[in-house]
Amino acid sequence: MEAASRNTIAVIGTGDVAKATFPHLITAGYDIRATVRKPENIPCLQEQFPAVEFYVADVLDQHSLAEPMREALGVMFFATLFAQGNNFNTWRTNL
């Protein structure tokens, strides 16, 4: 991947709140790198937001977050972790 510009923002997560920030960040002149957990979601997201660069990543895998965050000016974190049922030893991600 290309080196980040001085204005690159990494957005962790692509849910409704994260997607609502994309137009504002683009208008403000930022380049956006956003993470998505499921690669099959990328084509639809690219169609909606052609100026955004998407990366497959999982918030529970720090290595998968390295590339989208590399040399970024800042990070906006919109991912959510929550327990499954009453078992608080297992976690599910909502990106």
Side-chain angles (χ1 to χ4, degrees), residues 14-15 18-23 26 32 43-54:
T14 48
K19 289 187 289 191
T21 67
F22 293 165
I26 292 166
I32 305 169
C44 181
L45 288 166
Q46 285 177 325
E47 187 175 310
Q48 289 179 283
F49 304 101
V52 176
E53 189 175 355
F54 293 96

Side-chain angles (χ1 to χ4, degrees), residues 15-92:
D16 291 336
V17 175
K19 289 187 289 191
T21 67
F22 293 165
H24 301 285
L25 292 170
I26 292 166
T27 299
Y30 292 102
D31 296 322
I32 305 169
R33 291 179 174 174
T35 63
V36 59
R37 194 167 24 117
K38 298 177 181 176
E40 60 270 18
N41 292 340
I42 292 176
C44 181
L45 288 166
Q46 285 177 325
E47 187 175 310
Q48 289 179 283
F49 304 101
V52 176
E53 189 175 355
F54 293 96
Y55 292 78
V56 176
D58 186 325
V59 71
L60 296 177
D61 177 5
Q62 67 181 358
H63 299 292
S64 72
L65 298 171
E67 185 61 25
M69 291 177 31
R70 184 176 52 84
E71 299 179 12
L73 172 68
V75 176
M76 299 179 82
F77 191 87
F78 294 104
T80 306
L81 295 175
F82 54 92
Q84 294 180 351
N86 292 326
N87 184 352
F88 292 96
N89 292 320
T90 64
W91 292 90
R92 185 176 149 209

